[in-house]
Amino acid sequence: MEDMEVDPQVEVIARPNEENLIVVSDSDSSTDEEDSSIQIIDLSDRARRSAVGNAQRQLIDDQFVGHSYTERLLSLIHTVQEMSRAAPVLRSSQTSTTTTSEPSISTASEGTDAVAQPQTQTEAQPQTQTEAQPVHPKPDTEPVSESIQQTTPAVNPAAQGGGDDEDGETCSICFEPWTMAGKHRLAALRCGHLFGYECINRWLYGGNKCPQCNKKAKRDHIIFLYARKLQAIDNTEEVQLKKSLEDEQRLRRMKEVETAQCRLQLQTIKDENTRLQKEVEELRRLKAQVAFSSSQGAALSLSQRQDSSSGGRYVFSTAVLVSQAGGCRVLAHCERLGCLLASQPSPQATFLPGFGVKKISTANLKPSQYVPIHSKQIRGLAFSQQHDSLLLSAALDNTVKLTSLMANTVVQTYNTGRPVWSCCWCHDNNNYIYAGLCNGSVLVYDTRDTSTFVQELVPLGSKCPVVSLSYIPRAASSSFPCGGLIAGTLDGGCFWEHSEGTAYTPHILPLESGNCTDIQVEPDSRHCLITYRPGRLNPALRCVLMELNRSPHSDNGQPPVCSCSPVQTFTAGSSCKLLTKNAVFKSPAGEASTLVCAGDESTNSTMVWDAGTGALLQKLPADIPVLDICPFEVNQSSYLGSLTEKMLKVYKWE
């Protein structure tokens, strides 16, 4: 190629979308000192990089250039790259001069002439220019000044938009695309800037700073990355919107929590308001009943009013709500603890099912505490005369339990095997307790033996449930000196005379069969009150007061017989659907008089009679039937408590 008369002229023209223009013009020369004149019009780094790359590829692929001349051109291009890497960007105003006479550098024509032509046109163009323009050599001493015409190529907007994507694919040192493998693979420093591995490795060999940010860097800081193209997306607005959304969601959650709390408070206030409204209605009913009772008391006969005015009467004191849902059954009084106990179902049946007792203080007549005891309904409560806080209870869950009210804990449980309807203590020996079963039997337990019962008192007649148990202590009395247990069933009653130890002698009491509902005893006077429900012969509720007696020893050697005889009969209403408990006790007026109290279902009231005269002293109203009656004393004042399914009404003797 060097022996040719006219060497091909190689001209590399930038594309219209490029901002740099590099033109290399080659002509024949007779000496090896021929130089080439190169002009670089630099408008941007990216355009310069593109033009240099195109020139390099064009010269390498040019088939008319010889091997030695190609090496010189490659060396020249390498020099241009080194200059562009180390020197600032050349401006369009700079002028390039040449020292040789034969090689010439020309700029591309404006407009469409600057557009790169296909391969055939590029190869043919140098020959045409060589023929049209003859070469005029000039002496070496005469400087040649080439006029430089600066041309601005047409820029395609679409190409400009795509140029930004190439910034994430080229090395900022050599401006060549990095690769996924090899010496120029993608690498990064700790500061985050990306380079080709070979370039940054050579750069840090002579320095210790990042080429872009001048932060300290070492060759050990180089790490390899695996990405074909990197591009940072501006997501500032997206991050702000996400933050605003999170703030809004957080505020919304806070508002939802506040709303839930407000709803809960509102529901609590509504429940409290409902409860207070019910209490107000209950108090209004009680007030109306008290007024009605006063009017009825004024309508009593003159003799009854005289008796009540001379001996005193019961006046309504207060009403205590025991159970809002109902279910109360029996009532008991503990003088040593100063409290009343009313059986009721658990107020928190969902969390703590079962039945227990509600403590009601006799000092202020207010409920204080609920004590859970049994799993089913309680049918009997009794206190010991010696144990201050030991409560005996019987329930339909086949158990008899001893509960310490000081600790509010069950201390002993006896399993009877059958539902228990009643219970009581032995007043002659407090180590023994009695449990009346549903089959008519009475089990005797010793509190010192926790295993099983010590004796079973088998009924002589029918096997009806034992609805009441009362113990009469021994006393030196000519009429009734013996002590024992009176067991009342639905078919009658039996007196179990208690001898020494565990010996019991049964005595059938002469009672009406089939209609007995309750037997209560007044131990001091040896009187017992038997309640009969209405029947065919007697259509009204009857309470018969009987006196216990014992026949003397006979000459033929037969044992004495214990019996009872009627003293007074009291008549109430014509309805008796519930097994209510009545009471017989000494009158607070004294003078050895006795009062009889019984609940009347037909009038929902408590009837108070004088046991001596049989006169009706008072009729204490109630809104629902009275189930149990219990007299008690507090600070030398006498009170009477009547229990319904929900309420406890307390009356004071005045």
Side-chain angles (χ1 to χ4, degrees):
M1 296 297 292
E2 295 180 357
D3 297 334
M4 293 178 64
E5 296 179 357
V6 179
D7 290 338
Q9 185 180 20
V10 180
E11 182 176 330
V12 180
I13 304 175
R15 296 179 183 273
N17 59 346
E18 301 294 341
E19 297 179 1
N20 284 346
L21 187 61
I22 301 177
V23 178
V24 180
S25 181
D26 247 350
S27 62
D28 190 12
S29 178
S30 60
T31 62
D32 293 338
E33 282 105 9
E34 293 176 350
D35 295 328
S36 296
S37 176
I38 299 174
Q39 178 183 2
I40 300 176
I41 302 174
D42 190 354
L43 299 181
S44 68
D45 291 342
R46 188 184 64 81
R48 185 180 66 254
R49 294 195 304 270
S50 177
V52 173
N54 292 336
Q56 181 179 2
R57 288 191 296 271
Q58 184 66 26
L59 291 174
I60 293 174
D61 296 335
D62 194 349
Q63 59 183 347
F64 296 101
V65 180
H67 180 70
S68 60
Y69 193 65
T70 301
E71 291 180 353
R72 285 187 297 166
L73 289 179
L74 289 177
S75 176
L76 179 62
I77 292 172
H78 181 70
T79 304
V80 172
Q81 291 179 351
E82 292 294 336
M83 292 174 62
S84 63
R85 193 178 307 133
V89 178
L90 298 177
R91 299 299 180 181
S92 60
S93 59
Q94 292 178 345
T95 304
S96 175
T97 58
T98 60
T99 57
T100 61
S101 60
E102 292 184 1
S104 63
I105 301 174
S106 63
T107 59
S109 61
E110 296 180 357
T112 58
D113 295 338
V115 180
Q117 299 299 326
Q119 179 72 22
T120 57
Q121 296 179 2
T122 306
E123 295 174 355
Q125 186 176 1
Q127 297 177 1
T128 304
Q129 290 179 357
T130 307
E131 294 175 358
Q133 297 178 1
V135 179
H136 299 283
K138 295 182 181 181
D140 296 339
T141 58
E142 181 181 357
V144 178
S145 176
E146 298 287 344
S147 63
I148 300 173
Q149 181 181 1
Q150 182 176 353
T151 305
T152 303
V155 179
N156 189 359
Q160 284 186 347
D164 294 339
D165 296 339
E166 297 179 0
D167 292 341
E169 299 179 354
T170 59
C171 174
S172 60
I173 297 177
C174 68
F175 308 113
E176 290 296 327
W178 49 59
T179 61
M180 293 297 295
K183 296 182 179 181
H184 204 257
R185 64 185 302 181
L186 179 60
L189 295 177
R190 291 185 179 180
C191 58
H193 294 108
L194 306 178
F195 311 94
Y197 173 72
E198 183 180 11
C199 296
I200 189 62
N201 187 33
R202 187 169 56 224
W203 180 277
L204 294 178
Y205 185 79
N208 60 352
K209 291 185 179 181
C210 174
Q212 292 191 5
C213 64
N214 288 332
K215 288 187 177 180
K216 291 185 178 181
K218 296 187 300 184
R219 301 175 70 182
D220 296 340
H221 295 174
I222 302 175
I223 58 175
F224 292 110
L225 300 179
Y226 300 90
R228 180 183 179 187
K229 182 175 181 180
L230 298 177
Q231 184 176 2
I233 301 176
D234 186 7
N235 63 339
T236 305
E237 185 177 358
E238 180 183 358
V239 172
Q240 292 177 353
L241 291 176
K242 286 184 179 180
K243 186 176 182 302
S244 300
L245 178 60
E246 292 176 356
D247 294 341
E248 186 67 24
Q249 290 176 349
R250 184 176 67 256
L251 292 176
R252 183 178 179 180
R253 288 193 295 269
M254 293 175 60
K255 294 300 180 182
E256 289 178 354
V257 172
E258 292 178 0
T259 303
Q261 292 177 352
C262 293
R263 288 178 181 174
L264 181 60
Q265 293 177 359
L266 178 61
Q267 185 63 33
T268 304
I269 293 174
K270 285 183 178 180
D271 296 342
E272 184 69 15
N273 188 24
T274 303
R275 185 183 66 81
L276 293 176
Q277 287 180 354
K278 290 181 179 180
E279 290 185 1
V280 169
E281 292 176 0
E282 185 68 23
L283 292 176
R284 287 177 180 174
R285 274 199 309 270
L286 292 176
K287 185 177 180 180
Q289 290 173 1
V290 169
F292 177 75
S293 176
S294 300
S295 62
Q296 275 193 341
L300 292 175
S301 61
L302 180 61
S303 60
Q304 291 177 348
R305 289 201 307 269
Q306 288 177 351
D307 292 340
S308 67
S309 62
S310 60
R313 59 195 300 270
Y314 283 107
V315 178
F316 175 76
S317 176
T318 186
V320 180
L321 180 63
V322 180
S323 175
Q324 184 69 39
C328 300
R329 185 69 189 180
V330 291
L331 187 65
H333 173 248
C334 180
E335 183 178 359
R336 291 178 174 85
L337 293 179
C339 66
L340 290 170
L341 295 179
S343 67
Q344 68 162 103
S346 173
Q348 302 292 337
T350 305
F351 304 101
L352 184 65
F355 290 78
V357 293
K358 174 67 73 64
K359 286 184 178 182
I360 302 171
S361 174
T362 57
N364 53 14
L365 297 177
K366 292 183 179 180
S368 60
Q369 190 177 6
Y370 169 79
V371 181
I373 301 178
H374 291 274
S375 60
K376 293 186 178 180
Q377 189 182 50
I378 298 175
R379 300 303 297 264
L381 296 175
F383 278 100
S384 172
Q385 293 183 350
Q386 294 183 0
H387 302 285
D388 295 345
S389 61
L390 207 57
L391 173 66
L392 175 65
S393 59
L396 300 180
D397 58 355
N398 303 344
T399 59
V400 178
K401 295 186 178 183
L402 295 175
T403 305
S404 173
L405 294 180
M406 297 296 293
N408 295 330
T409 306
V410 176
V411 296
Q412 183 61 43
T413 300
Y414 297 98
N415 190 359
T416 61
R418 294 182 178 87
V420 187
W421 284 59
S422 57
C423 62
C424 71
W425 290 84
C426 178
H427 296 314
D428 290 331
N429 187 351
N430 281 293
N431 293 322
Y432 293 97
I433 56 176
Y434 303 95
L437 307 183
C438 62
N439 61 350
S441 300
V442 178
L443 298 182
V444 183
Y445 288 94
D446 190 348
T447 57
R448 296 165 296 184
D449 184 5
T450 60
S451 59
T452 183
F453 58 88
V454 296
Q455 190 174 356
E456 181 179 4
L457 305 180
V458 182
L460 301 178
S462 63
K463 297 182 178 181
C464 295
V466 181
V467 295
S468 62
L469 284 176
S470 300
Y471 192 87
I472 300 177
R474 299 188 188 96
S477 174
S478 57
S479 60
F480 200 78
C482 58
L485 180 69
I486 295 180
T489 65
L490 296 177
D491 196 35
C494 180
F495 174 71
W496 295 89
E497 183 180 359
H498 187 196
S499 302
E500 296 296 333
T502 58
Y504 292 89
T505 304
H507 299 277
I508 301 298
L509 299 178
L511 305 179
E512 297 179 9
S513 61
N515 292 325
C516 180
T517 60
D518 182 58
I519 298 178
Q520 299 294 328
V521 176
E522 205 289 309
D524 294 336
S525 62
R526 298 298 196 276
H527 286 106
C528 58
L529 182 67
I530 294 93
T531 303
Y532 297 100
R533 67 176 61 184
R536 289 178 296 175
L537 300 178
N538 298 290
L541 177 69
R542 292 174 299 124
C543 296
V544 180
L545 184 65
M546 292 189 175
E547 184 179 8
L548 296 174
N549 52 60
R550 186 171 185 268
S551 63
H553 290 278
S554 59
D555 296 337
N556 55 8
Q558 292 187 359
V561 177
C562 296
S563 182
C564 61
S565 56
V567 176
Q568 195 67 256
T569 301
F570 311 96
T571 304
S574 59
S575 175
C576 183
K577 298 179 181 180
L578 302 174
L579 296 178
T580 61
K581 293 184 177 297
N582 302 322
V584 52
F585 54 93
K586 289 184 178 181
S587 174
E591 300 177 0
S593 60
T594 304
L595 295 180
V596 174
C597 294
D600 184 12
E601 290 185 16
S602 59
T603 60
N604 291 335
S605 60
T606 301
M607 313 292 286
V608 182
W609 292 281
D610 186 354
T613 61
L616 179 63
L617 301 180
Q618 284 183 271
K619 200 172 185 180
L620 307 176
D623 52 346
I624 53 179
V626 177
L627 299 177
D628 199 356
I629 299 171
C630 178
F632 61 94
E633 292 185 0
V634 178
N635 297 330
Q636 299 180 354
S637 297
S638 299
Y639 294 87
L640 181 68
S642 62
L643 180 67
T644 63
E645 286 187 353
K646 297 182 179 180
M647 303 287 295
L648 171 65
K649 296 183 179 180
V650 180
Y651 301 89
K652 184 179 181 181
W653 180 265
E654 293 181 354

